[in-house]
């Protein structure tokens, strides 16, 4: 093997373009080499179909002139050199669509890799659209074509094939060029602060510390019955805790539909619980069935003042519906002009809030979002700006320019 990392009998081998590291000593040498880099690019491959927590199957790291895949499933390997590298505050960590990768490292170490640069978010800031994919950026910025045949491979199976490893390394080697070009764009358009604001959310451990008592919200209940919501909160929290304890996917333990039905029907014993669809008699009569009934009873026993409520969705005042539609057009115009993704600037809830309240607590009325959209949104709402069309495009103009001269 021609790799600088490889030694006779060492824990590394090359296949195609890929160096695979399988032992701690080689990994330490590789990571110490990256420790002097200004930035590293990072990606992971994992499996989650049968577990609550993602099973880390491969880590890909690259510096400006070197790259390797690390096998976390290799017998006896210690990933501490990787974790130390990711925790080094002097090295920028570059990911694409970072949230799931960061969640994995946070669960393993209790530390969020920082500082961060997420190329998906940076691309949204630079006008590549909403949630742009890695393949798109690789094509547009790195002039590369990604072989997608290994996308849905079983990353836990060993040995990994050459095409799998080549695919995995492409996710960090092309990322170097993508990062360099997006960084240059941000410097040119003066939007680095926009990205910093978004990276603060990704760098916050609270982003990955989900409270089981909040897990009911992901079920999106359609009723505001506080009794229903109190029961749902307790049984959803029970499922979340139990799924984590057993490392099972939530729905493999108990389906969402079953939780909603239990909260609606409120079974009081095993026989009634067994009548819930997707629940077996054995489950209902066993220890988990008993715990589930106890959780439901806790919700039922909660005093009314302690029960959760859904936030009231304020109806738009009469006549504000057309204003909402105008705000949607304005958002599209301003995002096209500033080459920023609409999703990054404002969503439907933000627009509804602005239409209803000039002082709405929404990101669209704060910071850089207010500068490029929020101020104009309020001006449009109050008649100080107008939208006009010339047959081929729509423009925003101050109302006084439309008024006839005296």
């Amino acid at each position: 093997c021609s790799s600088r990392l490889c030694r006779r009998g060492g824990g590394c081998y090359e296949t195609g373009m890929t160096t695979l590291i399988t032992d701690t000593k080689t990994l330490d040498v590789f990571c110490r080499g990256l420790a002097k880099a200004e930035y590293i690019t990072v990606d992971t491959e994992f499996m989650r179909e049968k577990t609550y927590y993602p099973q880390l199957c491969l880590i890909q790291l690259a510096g400006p002139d070197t790259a390797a895949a690390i096998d976390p499933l290799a017998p006896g390997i210690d990933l501490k050199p990787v974790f130390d590298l990711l925790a080094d505050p002097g090295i920028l960590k570059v990911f694409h669509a970072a949230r799931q990768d960061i969640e994995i490292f946070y669960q393993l170490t209790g530390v969020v890799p920082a500082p961060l640069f997420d190329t998906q978010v940076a691309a949204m800031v630079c006008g590549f659209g909403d949630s742009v994919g890695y393949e798109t950026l690789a094509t547009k910025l790195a002039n590369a074509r990604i072989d997608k045949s290994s996308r849905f491979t079983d990353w836990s199976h060993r040995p990994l094939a050459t095409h799998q490893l080549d695919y995995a390394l492409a996710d960090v080697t092309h990322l170097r060029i993508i990062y360099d070009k997006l960084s240059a764009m941000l410097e040119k358009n003066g939007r680095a602060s926009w990205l910093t604001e978004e990276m603060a959310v990704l760098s916050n451990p609270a982003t990955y510390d989900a409270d089981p008592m909040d897990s009911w919200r992901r079920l999106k209940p359609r009723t505001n019955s506080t009794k229903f919501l109190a029961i749902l909160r307790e049984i959803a929290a029970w499922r979340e805790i139990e799924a984590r304890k057993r490392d099972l996917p939530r729905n493999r333990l108990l389906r969402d539909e079953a939780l909603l039905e239990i909260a609606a029907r409120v079974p009081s014993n095993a026989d009634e619980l067994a009548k819930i669809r997707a629940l077996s008699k054995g489950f209902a009569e066993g220890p988990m069935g008993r715990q589930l009934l106890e959780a439901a009873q806790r919700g039922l026993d909660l005093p009314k003042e302690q029960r959760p409520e859904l936030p009231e969705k304020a109806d738009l005042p009469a006549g504000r519906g057309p204003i909402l539609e105008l705000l949607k057009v304005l958002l599209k115009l301003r995002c096209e002009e500033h080459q920023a993704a609409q999703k990054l600037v404002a969503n439907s809830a933000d627009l509804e809030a602005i239409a209803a309240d000039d002082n709405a607590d929404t990101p669209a009325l704060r910071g850089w979002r207010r500068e490029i959209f929020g101020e104009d949104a309020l001006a449009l709402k109050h008649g100080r700006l107008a939208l006009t069309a010339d047959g081929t495009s729509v423009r925003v103009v101050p109302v006084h320019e439309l008024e006839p001269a005296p």
Side-chain angles (χ1 to χ4, degrees):
C1 170
S2 60
S3 169
R4 289 179 299 158
L5 297 172
C6 283
R7 299 290 183 271
R8 189 176 301 276
C12 153
Y13 63 86
E14 283 198 349
T15 170
M17 62 173 282
T18 300
T19 298
L20 179 66
I21 297 174
T22 59
D23 81 304
T24 305
K25 184 177 180 181
T26 309
L27 178 60
D28 186 57
V29 172
F30 176 68
C31 289
R32 280 193 279 113
L34 291 181
K36 300 177 182 178
E38 179 182 346
Y39 73 88
I40 57 173
T41 55
V42 190
D43 191 36
T44 67
E45 307 299 341
F46 58 90
M47 303 291 289
R48 202 171 194 168
E49 287 79 3
K50 299 178 182 179
T51 59
Y52 179 91
Y53 296 105
Q55 179 189 7
L56 181 60
C57 299
L58 200 67
I59 303 170
Q60 303 97 275
L61 296 177
D65 59 2
T66 187
I70 299 115
D71 185 359
L73 303 183
I77 194 167
D78 184 351
L79 298 178
K80 187 176 183 298
V82 175
F83 299 151
D84 289 346
L85 193 67
L86 294 176
D88 188 332
I91 304 172
L92 181 67
K93 272 66 73 172
V94 180
F95 294 81
H96 181 83
R99 188 176 293 255
Q100 288 194 84
D101 298 315
I102 294 172
E103 178 188 355
I104 291 172
F105 292 123
Y106 181 68
Q107 288 169 352
L108 290 173
T109 67
V111 177
V112 175
L116 292 171
F117 187 104
D118 188 325
T119 56
Q120 185 176 73
V121 180
M124 292 168 71
V125 168
C126 292
F128 285 86
D130 292 343
S131 303
V132 61
Y134 179 73
E135 291 85 356
T136 299
L137 291 181
T139 299
K140 291 185 176 181
L141 297 180
N143 195 28
R145 292 286 186 272
I146 304 297
D147 179 2
K148 301 178 182 179
S149 62
S150 296
R151 175 178 292 181
F152 300 110
T153 194
D154 182 354
W155 292 104
S156 66
H157 181 74
R158 293 295 183 271
L160 293 169
T162 300
H163 66 87
Q164 291 176 297
L165 293 168
D166 288 347
Y167 169 86
L169 256 293
D171 283 347
V172 289
T173 52
H174 300 313
L175 192 56
R176 296 180 293 204
I177 301 173
I178 293 169
Y179 163 70
D180 286 338
K181 292 195 174 180
L182 287 174
S183 294
M185 290 180 189
L186 289 169
E187 183 175 352
K188 183 177 180 180
N189 61 27
R191 295 180 182 177
S193 62
W194 297 17
L195 184 67
T196 300
E197 186 176 323
E198 300 305 309
M199 292 304 97
V201 176
L202 281 177
S203 300
N204 187 349
T207 302
Y208 312 97
D209 278 329
D211 186 345
M213 294 302 288
D214 289 330
S215 61
W216 65 278
R217 298 183 186 278
R218 60 180 295 278
L219 300 174
K220 299 180 179 179
R222 298 181 180 180
T223 175
N224 203 14
S225 162
T226 58
K227 172 185 170 183
F228 175 93
L229 295 177
I231 297 169
L232 183 63
R233 182 174 66 179
E234 292 294 332
I235 61 178
W238 171 83
R239 181 183 69 167
E240 194 75 10
I241 294 168
E242 199 67 23
R244 293 178 183 181
K245 190 188 306 179
R246 297 170 180 268
D247 196 18
L248 285 173
R250 298 180 188 93
N251 274 299
R252 181 164 294 194
L253 185 68
L254 189 63
R255 296 184 62 81
D256 291 350
E257 296 83 353
L259 290 179
L260 293 167
E261 191 174 352
I262 291 167
R265 293 175 57 176
V266 199
S268 59
N269 55 56
D271 288 339
E272 292 178 2
L273 185 60
K275 294 177 182 178
I276 301 293
R277 286 178 299 176
L279 280 186
S280 67
K281 187 174 179 63
F283 181 103
E285 293 179 346
M288 286 201 293
R290 182 180 66 255
Q291 294 167 17
L292 188 54
L293 288 170
E294 290 171 354
Q297 189 62 47
R298 285 196 299 272
L300 192 61
D301 292 343
L302 271 180
K304 287 186 178 181
E305 63 272 15
Q306 295 181 24
R307 293 174 178 175
E309 295 183 22
L310 292 174
E312 291 290 338
K313 186 176 180 181
D315 293 329
L316 284 177
R320 299 293 171 88
I323 290 178
L324 177 60
E325 297 306 312
L326 290 175
L327 292 176
K328 291 178 181 178
V329 176
L330 178 66
L331 177 64
K332 184 174 180 62
L333 281 171
R334 286 299 186 237
C335 288
E336 287 184 355
E337 290 171 4
H338 291 277
Q339 293 189 320
Q342 291 186 49
K343 179 180 177 181
L344 195 64
V345 177
N347 57 30
S348 297
D350 296 327
L351 299 183
E352 290 177 8
I354 293 171
D357 182 2
D358 288 0
N359 298 308
D361 183 15
T362 169
L365 293 180
R366 297 192 294 269
W368 64 267
R369 292 176 176 84
R370 185 177 184 110
E371 291 178 17
I372 72 168
F373 172 70
E375 285 288 355
D376 284 350
L378 294 175
L380 179 65
K381 175 182 173 181
H382 289 286
R384 298 190 297 273
L385 287 180
L387 298 173
T388 182
D390 61 9
T392 59
S393 62
V394 176
R395 293 185 300 114
V396 180
V397 295
V399 166
H400 67 80
E401 293 184 9
L402 298 175
E403 297 173 349

